[in-house]
């Protein structure tokens, strides 16, 4: 057996309000849920992007309704969003119109373009063509 796909991915942010505005407003992801001071979740295609306040996920809740173990990370993470070749310039224009700096824009030696930028917490984000990994 092997997993069929990634269901959810988590990044850790230092300001949930800024993260919600960025991922919902700038990137246009669909809002799923929010718990003030702890997390905000978004849908991205068939997957969920989880944005956590890392300190809050390390706290053991005595009255937790679900048995989710404590977790969390320190430092900047990375997430790559799938984009087609024809969407790349549109994403650059959208990001730049919101004051987002494009850190890198290049074609991989094996083919496929990637653009890199940061969210308000400094996480490294990317739009990449599937062919950078030999996918269609």
């Amino acid at each position: 057996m092997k997993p069929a796909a990634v269901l959810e991915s988590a990044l850790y942010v230092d300001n949930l309000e800024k993260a919600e505005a960025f991922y919902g407003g700038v990137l246009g992801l669909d809002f799923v849920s929010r718990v003030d001071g702890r997390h905000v979740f978004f849908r991205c295609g068939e997957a969920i992007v989880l944005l956590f306040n890392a300190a809050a996920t390390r706290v053991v809740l005595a009255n937790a309704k679900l048995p989710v173990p404590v977790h969390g990370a320190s430092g900047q993470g990375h997430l790559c969003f799938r984009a087609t070749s024809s969407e790349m310039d549109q994403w650059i224009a959208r990001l730049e119109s919101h004051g987002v700096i494009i850190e890198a824009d290049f074609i991989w030696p094996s083919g496929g373009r990637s653009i890199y930028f940061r969210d308000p917490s400094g996480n490294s984000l990317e739009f990449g063509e599937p062919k950078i990994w030999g996918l269609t």
Side-chain angles (χ1 to χ4, degrees), residues 10-31 33-35 37-42 49-54 81 117-123 125:
L11 289 174
Y12 297 88
V13 300
D14 54 22
N15 185 309
L16 288 171
E17 290 76 22
K18 285 183 181 178
E20 186 171 355
F22 183 83
Y23 285 86
V26 176
L27 297 184
L29 298 183
D30 296 322
F31 175 84
S33 70
R34 181 186 219 301
V35 170
R38 187 176 190 285
H39 69 254
V40 60
F41 298 164
F42 291 93
V49 175
L50 311 171
L51 303 171
F52 287 108
N53 170 337
F81 297 99
F117 55 100
R118 303 257 171 197
D119 76 3
S121 293
N123 289 301
L125 301 178

Side-chain angles (χ1 to χ4, degrees), residues 31-133:
F31 175 84
V32 173
S33 70
R34 181 186 219 301
V35 170
D36 287 336
R38 187 176 190 285
H39 69 254
V40 60
F41 298 164
F42 291 93
R43 180 176 310 284
C44 181
E46 295 295 315
I48 302 295
V49 175
L50 311 171
L51 303 171
F52 287 108
N53 170 337
T57 64
R58 292 186 191 115
V59 175
V60 177
L61 300 175
N63 61 348
K65 294 177 183 175
L66 299 172
V68 177
V70 296
H71 59 285
S74 298
Q76 300 163 340
H78 173 72
L79 189 61
C80 178
F81 297 99
R82 176 186 288 242
T84 65
S85 175
S86 61
E87 294 171 329
M88 289 293 190
D89 289 331
Q90 294 171 345
W91 275 116
I92 290 171
R94 180 179 177 104
L95 292 166
E96 289 178 339
S97 76
H98 288 279
V100 177
I101 297 168
I102 304 302
E103 292 185 324
D105 178 356
F106 63 92
I107 305 294
W108 289 87
S110 58
R113 184 178 177 191
S114 283
I115 60 172
Y116 288 82
F117 55 100
R118 303 257 171 197
D119 76 3
S121 293
N123 289 301
S124 174
L125 301 178
E126 173 185 4
F127 278 105
E129 291 182 69
K131 61 184 164 184
I132 67 175
W133 291 107

